[in-house]
Amino acid sequence: MSAPITLPDIPDAERTPLIEQLLELIETLAETTHRQAETIQQLRDAIAVLKGEKAKPTFK
C-alpha cells in the first residue's frame, strides 16, 4: 500500500476558503482511495481462494 499523504502546514493567514475546500477534498479522496485499496485486496483474496490458492496473509 502506498504511504499516506502528508500535507505541509499552511499558516492561518494563507488559509482561504478555497484552500480549506481543497484540503477537505484531498482528505476525502485519500480516504476513498484507502477504502478502495482495501476492497481490491479483499477481492483479490477472494479470487485466490476460489482458484484454490492461499489469500495474502494479514500482518499486525
Side-chain angles (χ1 to χ4, degrees):
M1 208 173 267
S2 63
I5 297 173
T6 55
L7 298 173
D9 290 330
I10 300 173
D12 289 338
E14 294 180 14
R15 286 183 175 247
T16 64
L18 177 60
I19 298 296
E20 291 292 336
Q21 287 178 342
L22 290 173
L23 290 172
E24 288 177 23
L25 179 61
I26 290 170
E27 184 178 313
T28 302
L29 292 174
E31 290 172 4
T32 301
T33 302
H34 180 71
R35 283 194 312 269
Q36 288 175 340
E38 289 176 348
T39 301
I40 289 169
Q41 188 58 53
Q42 290 171 355
L43 292 171
R44 286 182 177 160
D45 290 345
I47 290 170
V49 169
L50 291 172
K51 287 182 173 181
E53 302 168 357
K54 292 183 179 179
K56 183 178 178 182
T58 305
F59 298 102
K60 290 184 180 180

